[in-house]
Amino acid sequence: MITATGLGSGLDINGLVDQLVAAERAGSDLQLNRQQSRYNAKFSALGSLKSALSTFQSSLSSVNTLSNYDKNTATSSDSSVLSVSASSEAIANLYSVEVSQLASSHGLASGTFADSDTTTVGTGSITIRFGTTDYESGTDTYNSFSLNADKNAATIDIDSSNNTLEGIMTAINDADIGVSASIVNDGSGFRLLMRSEDTGESNSLEIAVSDDDGNNTDASGLSQLAFNSSATHMAQTAAAQNAQFSINGLAVSNDTNQVSSAIPGVSMTLKKVSESPVSLTVAQDTSAITNAIDSFVSGYNKFISTANALSAYDAENDVPSALVGDFTLRSVEGQVGNILRSTPPGFSGSIGSLAELGISTSSSGTLEFDKDTFLDVWEENPDDVIKMFAAYGTPDDEDISFNSATETTVAGDFAVEISQLASYGYYDAAAVLPDFGGGSTLVIDSDNDNLTLEIDGIDIGEITLTAGTYTSGDDLAGELQTQINGTTAMRDAGKTVSVAYDSGSDSFTITSSVLGSTSAVNILAVDTNSAAELGFSVASGVDGVDVAGTIDGIAANGAGNILIAAEGSDAEGLSLTIGGSTTGSRGTVNFTRGVTSQFDQLLESLLDDDGALIDRIDSYEDRIKDVEERREELELRWEKVRARYTDQFNALDTLMSQLQSTSSYLEGQLANLPKPNSVKSN
């Protein structure tokens, strides 16, 4: 491409073209620059508003979390003896605790073996159960064993592939039933050690064997590992014992050193025997809720400061901020202000405003929080305080508890009518058991020891009861419960059943621990004499049912004992736990949506991708892109204008060059013409 040089005319053609194009485009550039500057300012300002609203919403999380309103703290005067914590159920009080004995687990040791990996012990099976053992350590006196029905039992097969000490150790550990096995060389030989992983008297070990040599009690073969009422060939190395301690002088026993049931809502960890009483103090912990309110106030103030800056006017320099008079900002500020100044809908209590809770508004519109004022009101009426802030339901019936609500739940009073209470699935066996109370017994053998069940829709397979003579219905019920809960299917599913013996009817009842319509106990297969001797036949039990009823007069959805208000009703999303034992009218639930809950709803709508604020931000982004596109279009136009001017000046330059050439020629010719009166030389 040939560019203008101005060689012919001596003109600065590029400079002239630049000036002409600049003059022509000045107006459009000025207009576009002003538009882009205005759009950028609006876009940035609305983005700052969005960020401030998002930060404000984040600050509401803690104050809207109900658990933060109901916390307690527990302290120990000697944490080396006793560490403590408290839940919301704890009651403020002072206790004196003395620890006299820590809980420990049961330990057993086998006799010695020449080696651990080649010498065979025996084959057959080992059955491990947990319970309370009356055994005189250092002797062979084994008085009794009482089964712990809440612990799983296991039968472990030992064959030629795992009949050494190492093989048996691995098989026990792989069974994963709460027993750890190890091997120790004590100098005289190798010993198999077993230890219950759980402490407490009720977690002692009973080791029964079925020895392939035909004798389950002698000191040879697999029987060498027996520890039961028939044989004690393993030695007790550590007796299982409960923790023993006192609370305000009252003696207390617990099977672990983690104690959670002695004082309601208080958890204690016993660490060592105390030399003197330890003080345990339980008090209300208000730091969680005051910190939450601090966070809310801080988030609100950041929003107000941002909003003030975006709508400010610099009178001295006559410079308005980007959102002065902006209808979106005015609308947001108006909605926020209405919530802040109004009593929550549906609220009926002793508190009339946030100011009464120590939250006041400064002259700049920011909030100030007086914790002392708040704590005074909180101590007097915590429920009303919660209702002033969060979404909260207050049932009339003390056996109904509020769980949660959704953004669609409308504040108000909702009547609760219960037509059906939730129930557990169960199976009632026939009343064929012997009169254990009258001294009768029942023998479990190969004709009645197998049972196949389906629990909560899961086929758990076949269970095998431990053979023997049972003198107690409760013991046999415990054996049933242990074997059912110990199946792989039940453990994998995290399910359990309870088995109860009714001495009045001499029968068993198996009950699922699941509440509601998924709860069921069915018998799929039985042994030869199971029906006649245990009362179990192939049949379905009684399935559980979900709670049923209405909330606000409209049929609600039940799941277990949870009742949730139907979609489309004013109470939609209201979730209640229905306890108690009565049907019919159960009073009303007053649902209020407090200030911070309303803020959360408002901010959720404002920050929604389809909301008006995001639409405005997107619209300014589109306008900025449009300006850029128009710039690109105009740049193409100015390039054409530049090319046209350049062509014109180049043509002029060429013409002037030609004229200059002609002028030079003429000057030369004229110079050669004879001058008048000149003499011609010879």
Side-chain angles (χ1 to χ4, degrees), residues 3 87 164 229 261 303 339 407 512 573 610 655 675:
T3 59
S87 71
T164 63
S229 59
S261 58
F303 159 70
I339 292 173
E407 61 181 17
S512 166
D610 296 325
L655 177 61
K675 296 180 181 179

Side-chain angles (χ1 to χ4, degrees), residues 482-559:
T482 298
Q483 295 296 343
I484 294 171
N485 292 338
T487 62
T488 300
M490 290 290 280
R491 286 191 289 165
D492 288 348
K495 294 181 176 294
T496 60
V497 300
S498 61
V499 181
Y501 164 67
D502 186 343
S503 59
S505 62
D506 291 324
S507 64
F508 291 126
T509 297
I510 303 175
T511 305
S512 166
S513 62
V514 173
L515 190 61
S517 58
T518 62
S519 180
V521 179
N522 302 318
I523 307 298
L524 304 181
V526 296
D527 216 337
T528 306
N529 295 332
S530 296
E533 297 176 354
L534 294 172
F536 293 118
S537 301
V538 176
S540 298
V542 177
D543 292 345
V545 297
D546 296 318
V547 66
T550 62
I551 298 178
D552 199 29
I554 300 173
N557 304 309

Side-chain angles (χ1 to χ4, degrees), residues 59-390:
S59 73
L60 303 173
S61 176
S62 295
V63 77
N64 283 332
T65 302
L66 293 180
S67 60
N68 284 330
Y69 294 86
D70 202 12
K71 290 184 179 293
N72 291 298
T73 182
T75 56
S76 167
S77 63
D78 189 345
S79 58
S80 68
V81 173
L82 178 72
S83 62
V84 294
S85 63
S87 71
S88 59
E89 288 77 26
I91 298 174
N93 215 326
L94 176 65
Y95 304 91
S96 176
V97 180
E98 292 187 76
V99 181
S100 57
Q101 175 178 287
L102 294 180
S104 60
S105 58
H106 196 203
L108 300 173
S110 71
T112 59
F113 292 83
D115 58 64
S116 63
D117 57 351
T118 59
T119 301
T120 60
V121 179
T123 57
S125 64
I126 300 172
T127 298
I128 303 176
R129 302 195 302 170
F130 299 87
T132 303
T133 301
D134 181 5
Y135 173 77
E136 297 179 18
S137 184
T139 73
D140 284 335
T141 305
Y142 190 107
N143 298 318
S144 65
F145 176 79
S146 177
L147 179 68
N148 182 349
D150 293 327
K151 294 296 292 291
N152 299 330
T155 297
I156 302 167
D157 293 329
I158 305 298
D159 55 28
S160 59
S161 68
N162 62 353
N163 60 354
T164 63
L165 279 188
E166 286 190 1
I168 294 172
M169 175 191 70
T170 300
I172 292 172
N173 289 332
D174 287 348
D176 191 25
I177 61 164
V179 177
S180 60
S182 59
I183 296 172
V184 171
N185 184 347
D186 67 354
S188 62
F190 292 87
R191 294 176 182 267
L192 177 68
L193 305 184
M194 296 187 203
R195 191 174 191 90
S196 170
E197 293 178 357
D198 292 332
T199 60
E201 296 172 0
S202 64
N203 292 313
S204 294
L205 301 175
E206 180 197 62
I207 314 296
V209 301
S210 177
D211 201 333
D212 285 347
D213 66 9
N215 190 327
N216 300 330
T217 61
D218 63 2
S220 63
L222 206 58
S223 304
Q224 297 173 84
L225 304 181
F227 187 83
N228 54 63
S229 59
S230 300
T232 53
H233 297 309
M234 296 192 78
Q236 178 172 276
T237 57
Q241 63 182 28
N242 286 351
Q244 304 292 341
F245 57 101
S246 67
I247 301 175
N248 292 351
L250 176 67
V252 182
S253 178
N254 196 70
D255 57 0
T256 73
N257 294 315
Q258 285 71 45
V259 184
S260 59
S261 58
I263 303 174
V266 177
S267 295
M268 300 182 287
T269 298
L270 312 181
K271 297 182 176 180
K272 68 178 183 180
V273 173
S274 59
E275 297 179 359
S276 59
V278 177
S279 295
L280 191 168
T281 304
V282 179
Q284 190 175 49
D285 180 11
T286 58
S287 62
I289 184 55
T290 55
N291 288 341
I293 295 174
D294 270 333
S295 176
F296 153 61
V297 169
S298 176
Y300 179 88
N301 288 344
K302 288 179 181 177
F303 159 70
I304 288 297
S305 297
T306 299
N308 288 344
L310 294 174
S311 60
Y313 177 73
D314 182 356
E316 182 178 349
N317 298 304
D318 192 24
V319 178
S321 296
L323 298 184
V324 168
D326 184 84
F327 69 91
T328 297
L329 179 57
R330 291 203 311 270
S331 174
V332 170
E333 288 179 316
Q335 293 177 79
V336 169
N338 286 338
I339 292 173
L340 192 68
R341 292 186 295 270
S342 303
T343 301
F347 181 85
S348 58
S350 59
I351 302 170
S353 66
L354 290 180
E356 295 180 39
L357 295 175
I359 301 174
S360 56
T361 305
S362 69
S363 58
S364 64
T366 58
L367 298 180
E368 297 174 348
F369 179 39
D370 184 335
K371 291 183 182 180
D372 291 336
T373 299
F374 171 81
L375 291 175
D376 288 342
V377 180
W378 170 258
E379 187 175 349
E380 291 294 325
N381 199 340
D383 283 346
D384 279 358
V385 172
I386 299 172
K387 290 192 287 185
M388 276 296 293
F389 286 109

